[in-house]
Amino acid sequence: KEKFADKELSVSFEIWNPNETYTNVWTGDEIVRYYSDYAATATTLIFRGRVEKPSQKGNKLMVTGRSESLKVVDRVVTKSYSNIESSLVLIDLIQTYGSSFTYVSVESSSVSVTKQWTEKPFWDCVKELCADAVFDCYIDKNLDFNYFSQGSRLNTSEAIVHDYNMLEISDFSPDLCLLRNKIKIYGATIDGIQIIYTANDLTSQATYGIKEEIITDNNITSYEQASEIGEAKLTMLENSPIVGEIKSILMATVQPGEMIRLSSPEDNILPSF
């Protein structure tokens, strides 16, 4: 199982262990590799991670862990940047806190950022950069950081299609409860004055009323930084997202952040990405 949203990828598996054959086989930090193909024998490495918690559950052994990103996501960041393009900030973070990782697949953005981080969790910093640039980020099987514009990567080999590999589908529709049209930022207090910034979408407020989100973060140490974060968050949340869930049989080649084709005419989902 792999998860990708605003968290690092994770892995879990369970096996029958009534005779304790596999007891103590995994104690922690063992490498887990997952291969996936449509051929009779899978040879394409899709995921690499580390075991963190082996546990007995009845007659089964449950093993959980995370991708190799665990080597860096548990670090804390103390860094400052002034008007630096976001991908360059990410590369500097990797060089400083994740020397065992590469950044070949880090793509440039058109967004420059100003940051002042003091002992902030590494992955929270990455999520902040993603929000600023509207990018996705993950660490792949080769320990390489991928940083790319949301929706820019298309998987043309896979699709979820009705009457073929679709198992279940829930309602797909805009969800107003997730909309936010006012973002209020409370930053650090410097020389007795707290940094405060408010980002507003007045058109949305007039239509739907005020839907507010408060962000309090002492790592925000300048008005410019508060403005960047507030406007980026507003851009992410000012439109009602289309929310739904679709399940299919396992697809061998899908990677995090990729868009794939969906088709379910009965649910008004025409064939498209």
Side-chain angles (χ1 to χ4, degrees):
K1 179 178 68 175
E2 298 182 30
K3 296 191 295 183
F4 175 71
D6 61 349
K7 298 181 179 179
E8 67 272 21
L9 295 174
S10 64
V11 60
S12 66
F13 63 90
E14 60 181 37
I15 58 176
W16 287 102
N17 191 37
N19 299 319
E20 298 192 357
T21 304
Y22 301 103
T23 301
N24 297 324
V25 170
W26 295 280
T27 58
D29 204 41
E30 293 87 0
I31 295 177
V32 177
R33 294 181 176 88
Y34 172 67
Y35 295 84
S36 182
D37 279 302
Y38 288 114
T41 301
T43 59
T44 303
L45 180 63
I46 299 295
F47 174 86
R48 171 177 160 173
R50 296 272 176 170
V51 170
E52 288 190 297
K53 182 183 178 183
S55 60
Q56 191 75 28
K57 183 179 179 182
N59 287 324
K60 289 184 177 181
L61 184 67
M62 171 71 77
V63 180
T64 60
R66 287 181 288 171
S67 75
E68 294 281 7
S69 62
L70 61 86
K71 295 178 180 177
V72 69
V73 296
D74 293 332
R75 301 290 303 274
V76 292
V77 172
T78 299
K79 280 278 191 175
S80 62
Y81 305 92
S82 179
N83 198 34
I84 305 297
E85 193 269 309
S86 68
S87 69
L88 298 180
V89 173
L90 178 58
I91 288 172
D92 184 66
L93 292 178
I94 298 167
Q95 292 173 335
T96 305
Y97 298 98
S99 58
S100 60
F101 298 90
T102 58
Y103 42 86
V104 175
S105 301
V106 171
E107 300 178 12
S108 297
S109 75
S110 59
V111 176
S112 295
V113 298
T114 297
K115 303 294 180 185
Q116 179 70 48
W117 292 316
T118 302
E119 295 189 344
K120 186 164 187 173
F122 181 93
W123 207 247
D124 285 349
C125 297
V126 174
K127 289 191 289 183
E128 199 171 300
L129 293 175
C130 288
D132 291 337
V134 196
F135 268 41
D136 282 330
C137 183
Y138 76 98
I139 301 172
D140 67 22
K141 59 187 182 296
N142 298 316
L143 307 188
D144 185 48
F145 270 79
N146 286 246
Y147 183 66
F148 54 95
S149 178
Q150 290 181 8
S152 65
R153 294 190 178 181
L154 308 180
N155 187 316
T156 58
S157 301
E158 302 282 10
I160 299 178
V161 181
H162 62 290
D163 297 331
Y164 178 62
N165 63 349
M166 181 185 296
L167 300 178
E168 182 181 336
I169 187 169
S170 67
D171 179 45
F172 273 71
S173 60
D175 192 342
L176 280 175
C177 76
L178 299 177
L179 182 146
R180 296 291 181 270
N181 50 33
K182 182 177 182 179
I183 309 296
K184 198 160 190 177
I185 307 293
Y186 290 95
T189 299
I190 299 176
D191 296 329
I193 301 175
Q194 186 173 28
I195 296 169
I196 301 175
Y197 180 83
T198 303
N200 287 291
D201 183 336
L202 298 179
T203 301
S204 175
Q205 290 176 14
T207 303
Y208 302 111
I210 294 177
K211 295 177 176 291
E212 190 170 5
E213 180 165 327
I214 306 296
I215 297 175
T216 302
D217 189 344
N218 287 328
N219 278 287
I220 300 173
T221 57
S222 70
Y223 185 82
E224 180 183 8
Q225 187 180 357
S227 171
E228 287 180 357
I229 294 173
E231 295 298 335
K233 193 74 171 180
L234 182 65
T235 298
M236 291 177 61
L237 300 177
E238 62 185 345
N239 296 309
S240 300
I242 296 177
V243 177
E245 184 175 300
I246 189 167
K247 295 181 181 179
S248 76
I249 61 174
L250 183 66
M251 291 178 287
T253 69
V254 174
Q255 291 294 295
E258 290 184 340
M259 298 183 67
I260 64 172
R261 293 186 179 93
L262 301 178
S263 174
S264 182
E266 293 181 356
D267 299 287
N268 296 318
I269 299 176
L270 300 178
S272 64
F273 282 101

